[in-house]
Amino acid sequence: MAEQKTVRFIIERQDGPKDKPYTQEFDVPYRPGLNVVAALMEIQKNPVTVSGEKVAPVVWECNCLEKVCGACMMVINGKARQACCSLIDKLEQPIHLAPARTFPVIRDLLIDRSVMFESLQRIQGWVEVDGTWEVKDAPIQNPYTAQTAYEISHCMTCGCCLEACPNVGPQSDFIGPAPTVQAYLFNLHPLGKFDAPKRLNALMEKGGITSCGNSQNCVEVCPKKIKLTTYLAQLNRDVNKQALRNIFNH
């Protein structure tokens, strides 16, 4: 009988937020169409290292399993990406898995992405709606900006762009590409545009748009292929215009 083909995983683990990281290796039976999440599920069912040691199951996060929720973001072979759509056949082996250390590590591959949602609060990533309308009276999305808004709305808040950005981390207060570009999305909304000055003023503060170094790493790793650098440039222009308005309105 032919020997079962296996896939080797080298996983960076961490028992708690303040514990030191360490690595363990696991072999997973190969099958066509196998992705990283499915492989982690196999390890979870039988958490035995290649040396035969029974260990605690690897901890990670996932939800939708179809590149919509962004929860399974991790560093795979040195690149931030979604584990659910990372196919084993397209990855160099052995496969290295590590947590995205731009974020606090809770345990193993599980991270705390709260900072991204706090940043969305900072840029007021919502639309103030006071009541409802009949269809004929409802505000209409500008058809010339609808396609742009639709593209940006695909953002999963996964954090790939923050992990790849050299300006995000302890060396900078930059809130990151995704939360920043969300300000542009809500400024395009027919109701959200009324609060555009608030969002633009928030982006003038420390950690806002001026902290972007234009490395363009974000657009390279975005799993939704959002043109982040294009919209960051547009936001930079809008912020400069708002700064001039602030001067002349005083």
Side-chain angles (χ1 to χ4, degrees), residues 6-20:
T6 60
V7 182
R8 175 69 53 90
F9 284 85
I10 302 174
I11 303 177
E12 185 176 302
R13 306 194 63 180
Q14 188 170 324
D15 295 334
K18 296 183 179 179
D19 293 305
K20 291 185 177 180

PDB file of all heavy atoms in Angstrom, residues 6-20:
ATOM      1  N   THR A   6       1.782  13.392   3.518  1.00  0.00           N
ATOM      2  CA  THR A   6       1.464  14.317   4.602  1.00  0.00           C
ATOM      3  C   THR A   6       2.006  15.712   4.303  1.00  0.00           C
ATOM      4  O   THR A   6       2.870  15.891   3.447  1.00  0.00           O
ATOM      5  CB  THR A   6       2.048  13.848   5.952  1.00  0.00           C
ATOM      6  OG1 THR A   6       3.473  13.757   5.829  1.00  0.00           O
ATOM      7  CG2 THR A   6       1.465  12.507   6.357  1.00  0.00           C
ATOM      8  N   VAL A   7       1.472  16.685   5.033  1.00  0.00           N
ATOM      9  CA  VAL A   7       1.910  18.074   4.927  1.00  0.00           C
ATOM     10  C   VAL A   7       2.468  18.486   6.284  1.00  0.00           C
ATOM     11  O   VAL A   7       1.808  18.283   7.319  1.00  0.00           O
ATOM     12  CB  VAL A   7       0.739  19.002   4.540  1.00  0.00           C
ATOM     13  CG1 VAL A   7       1.224  20.437   4.386  1.00  0.00           C
ATOM     14  CG2 VAL A   7       0.063  18.526   3.260  1.00  0.00           C
ATOM     15  N   ARG A   8       3.660  19.046   6.285  1.00  0.00           N
ATOM     16  CA  ARG A   8       4.299  19.458   7.536  1.00  0.00           C
ATOM     17  C   ARG A   8       3.967  20.921   7.848  1.00  0.00           C
ATOM     18  O   ARG A   8       4.110  21.802   7.012  1.00  0.00           O
ATOM     19  CB  ARG A   8       5.821  19.266   7.410  1.00  0.00           C
ATOM     20  CG  ARG A   8       6.653  19.762   8.586  1.00  0.00           C
ATOM     21  CD  ARG A   8       6.453  18.922   9.843  1.00  0.00           C
ATOM     22  NE  ARG A   8       6.661  17.502   9.638  1.00  0.00           N
ATOM     23  CZ  ARG A   8       7.850  16.878   9.789  1.00  0.00           C
ATOM     24  NH1 ARG A   8       8.922  17.588  10.127  1.00  0.00           N
ATOM     25  NH2 ARG A   8       7.960  15.580   9.601  1.00  0.00           N
ATOM     26  N   PHE A   9       3.522  21.160   9.085  1.00  0.00           N
ATOM     27  CA  PHE A   9       3.240  22.507   9.571  1.00  0.00           C
ATOM     28  C   PHE A   9       4.185  22.838  10.719  1.00  0.00           C
ATOM     29  O   PHE A   9       4.341  22.040  11.649  1.00  0.00           O
ATOM     30  CB  PHE A   9       1.792  22.627  10.063  1.00  0.00           C
ATOM     31  CG  PHE A   9       0.776  22.718   8.965  1.00  0.00           C
ATOM     32  CD1 PHE A   9       0.270  21.571   8.367  1.00  0.00           C
ATOM     33  CD2 PHE A   9       0.336  23.953   8.508  1.00  0.00           C
ATOM     34  CE1 PHE A   9      -0.665  21.651   7.346  1.00  0.00           C
ATOM     35  CE2 PHE A   9      -0.601  24.041   7.485  1.00  0.00           C
ATOM     36  CZ  PHE A   9      -1.100  22.885   6.898  1.00  0.00           C
ATOM     37  N   ILE A  10       4.792  24.006  10.645  1.00  0.00           N
ATOM     38  CA  ILE A  10       5.611  24.516  11.745  1.00  0.00           C
ATOM     39  C   ILE A  10       4.846  25.714  12.314  1.00  0.00           C
ATOM     40  O   ILE A  10       4.707  26.743  11.648  1.00  0.00           O
ATOM     41  CB  ILE A  10       7.004  24.936  11.263  1.00  0.00           C
ATOM     42  CG1 ILE A  10       7.712  23.744  10.610  1.00  0.00           C
ATOM     43  CG2 ILE A  10       7.835  25.500  12.421  1.00  0.00           C
ATOM     44  CD1 ILE A  10       9.049  24.088   9.975  1.00  0.00           C
ATOM     45  N   ILE A  11       4.319  25.544  13.519  1.00  0.00           N
ATOM     46  CA  ILE A  11       3.392  26.523  14.083  1.00  0.00           C
ATOM     47  C   ILE A  11       4.024  27.245  15.263  1.00  0.00           C
ATOM     48  O   ILE A  11       4.531  26.607  16.201  1.00  0.00           O
ATOM     49  CB  ILE A  11       2.077  25.853  14.507  1.00  0.00           C
ATOM     50  CG1 ILE A  11       1.439  25.131  13.300  1.00  0.00           C
ATOM     51  CG2 ILE A  11       1.104  26.885  15.087  1.00  0.00           C
ATOM     52  CD1 ILE A  11       0.165  24.389  13.643  1.00  0.00           C
ATOM     53  N   GLU A  12       3.994  28.566  15.204  1.00  0.00           N
ATOM     54  CA  GLU A  12       4.467  29.378  16.323  1.00  0.00           C
ATOM     55  C   GLU A  12       3.338  29.484  17.347  1.00  0.00           C
ATOM     56  O   GLU A  12       2.274  30.002  17.042  1.00  0.00           O
ATOM     57  CB  GLU A  12       4.866  30.773  15.828  1.00  0.00           C
ATOM     58  CG  GLU A  12       5.489  31.648  16.898  1.00  0.00           C
ATOM     59  CD  GLU A  12       5.949  32.982  16.356  1.00  0.00           C
ATOM     60  OE1 GLU A  12       6.791  32.963  15.415  1.00  0.00           O
ATOM     61  OE2 GLU A  12       5.465  34.016  16.830  1.00  0.00           O
ATOM     62  N   ARG A  13       3.607  28.999  18.546  1.00  0.00           N
ATOM     63  CA  ARG A  13       2.586  28.950  19.579  1.00  0.00           C
ATOM     64  C   ARG A  13       2.936  29.864  20.750  1.00  0.00           C
ATOM     65  O   ARG A  13       4.078  30.252  20.935  1.00  0.00           O
ATOM     66  CB  ARG A  13       2.393  27.513  20.063  1.00  0.00           C
ATOM     67  CG  ARG A  13       2.094  26.521  18.936  1.00  0.00           C
ATOM     68  CD  ARG A  13       1.580  25.221  19.465  1.00  0.00           C
ATOM     69  NE  ARG A  13       0.310  25.387  20.161  1.00  0.00           N
ATOM     70  CZ  ARG A  13      -0.361  24.372  20.724  1.00  0.00           C
ATOM     71  NH1 ARG A  13       0.115  23.143  20.655  1.00  0.00           N
ATOM     72  NH2 ARG A  13      -1.523  24.591  21.331  1.00  0.00           N
ATOM     73  N   GLN A  14       1.932  30.177  21.542  1.00  0.00           N
ATOM     74  CA  GLN A  14       2.125  31.021  22.711  1.00  0.00           C
ATOM     75  C   GLN A  14       1.002  30.698  23.684  1.00  0.00           C
ATOM     76  O   GLN A  14      -0.172  30.787  23.343  1.00  0.00           O
ATOM     77  CB  GLN A  14       2.100  32.505  22.312  1.00  0.00           C
ATOM     78  CG  GLN A  14       2.473  33.470  23.429  1.00  0.00           C
ATOM     79  CD  GLN A  14       2.668  34.887  22.909  1.00  0.00           C
ATOM     80  OE1 GLN A  14       3.162  35.086  21.802  1.00  0.00           O
ATOM     81  NE2 GLN A  14       2.295  35.859  23.713  1.00  0.00           N
ATOM     82  N   ASP A  15       1.358  30.328  24.900  1.00  0.00           N
ATOM     83  CA  ASP A  15       0.364  29.846  25.860  1.00  0.00           C
ATOM     84  C   ASP A  15      -0.515  30.944  26.438  1.00  0.00           C
ATOM     85  O   ASP A  15      -1.609  30.679  26.931  1.00  0.00           O
ATOM     86  CB  ASP A  15       1.049  29.088  26.997  1.00  0.00           C
ATOM     87  CG  ASP A  15       1.727  27.815  26.500  1.00  0.00           C
ATOM     88  OD1 ASP A  15       1.283  27.278  25.462  1.00  0.00           O
ATOM     89  OD2 ASP A  15       2.707  27.368  27.125  1.00  0.00           O
ATOM     90  N   GLY A  16      -0.059  32.173  26.389  1.00  0.00           N
ATOM     91  CA  GLY A  16      -0.828  33.295  26.919  1.00  0.00           C
ATOM     92  C   GLY A  16      -0.244  34.606  26.459  1.00  0.00           C
ATOM     93  O   GLY A  16       0.853  34.638  25.874  1.00  0.00           O
ATOM     94  N   PRO A  17      -0.923  35.713  26.716  1.00  0.00           N
ATOM     95  CA  PRO A  17      -0.460  37.021  26.229  1.00  0.00           C
ATOM     96  C   PRO A  17       0.946  37.390  26.676  1.00  0.00           C
ATOM     97  O   PRO A  17       1.663  38.081  25.953  1.00  0.00           O
ATOM     98  CB  PRO A  17      -1.500  37.983  26.817  1.00  0.00           C
ATOM     99  CG  PRO A  17      -2.722  37.150  27.021  1.00  0.00           C
ATOM    100  CD  PRO A  17      -2.219  35.798  27.406  1.00  0.00           C
ATOM    101  N   LYS A  18       1.360  36.937  27.860  1.00  0.00           N
ATOM    102  CA  LYS A  18       2.674  37.322  28.397  1.00  0.00           C
ATOM    103  C   LYS A  18       3.703  36.203  28.329  1.00  0.00           C
ATOM    104  O   LYS A  18       4.832  36.364  28.780  1.00  0.00           O
ATOM    105  CB  LYS A  18       2.511  37.795  29.850  1.00  0.00           C
ATOM    106  CG  LYS A  18       1.654  39.048  29.981  1.00  0.00           C
ATOM    107  CD  LYS A  18       1.570  39.524  31.429  1.00  0.00           C
ATOM    108  CE  LYS A  18       0.731  40.792  31.536  1.00  0.00           C
ATOM    109  NZ  LYS A  18       0.622  41.269  32.944  1.00  0.00           N
ATOM    110  N   ASP A  19       3.318  35.067  27.751  1.00  0.00           N
ATOM    111  CA  ASP A  19       4.246  33.936  27.655  1.00  0.00           C
ATOM    112  C   ASP A  19       5.132  34.049  26.422  1.00  0.00           C
ATOM    113  O   ASP A  19       4.778  34.716  25.447  1.00  0.00           O
ATOM    114  CB  ASP A  19       3.467  32.621  27.612  1.00  0.00           C
ATOM    115  CG  ASP A  19       2.758  32.330  28.923  1.00  0.00           C
ATOM    116  OD1 ASP A  19       3.436  32.306  29.958  1.00  0.00           O
ATOM    117  OD2 ASP A  19       1.527  32.138  28.890  1.00  0.00           O
ATOM    118  N   LYS A  20       6.264  33.388  26.476  1.00  0.00           N
ATOM    119  CA  LYS A  20       7.187  33.414  25.348  1.00  0.00           C
ATOM    120  C   LYS A  20       6.708  32.470  24.243  1.00  0.00           C
ATOM    121  O   LYS A  20       6.209  31.376  24.533  1.00  0.00           O
ATOM    122  CB  LYS A  20       8.589  33.007  25.812  1.00  0.00           C
ATOM    123  CG  LYS A  20       9.268  34.024  26.722  1.00  0.00           C
ATOM    124  CD  LYS A  20      10.688  33.602  27.039  1.00  0.00           C
ATOM    125  CE  LYS A  20      11.390  34.652  27.898  1.00  0.00           C
ATOM    126  NZ  LYS A  20      12.787  34.250  28.223  1.00  0.00           N
TER     127      LYS A  20
END
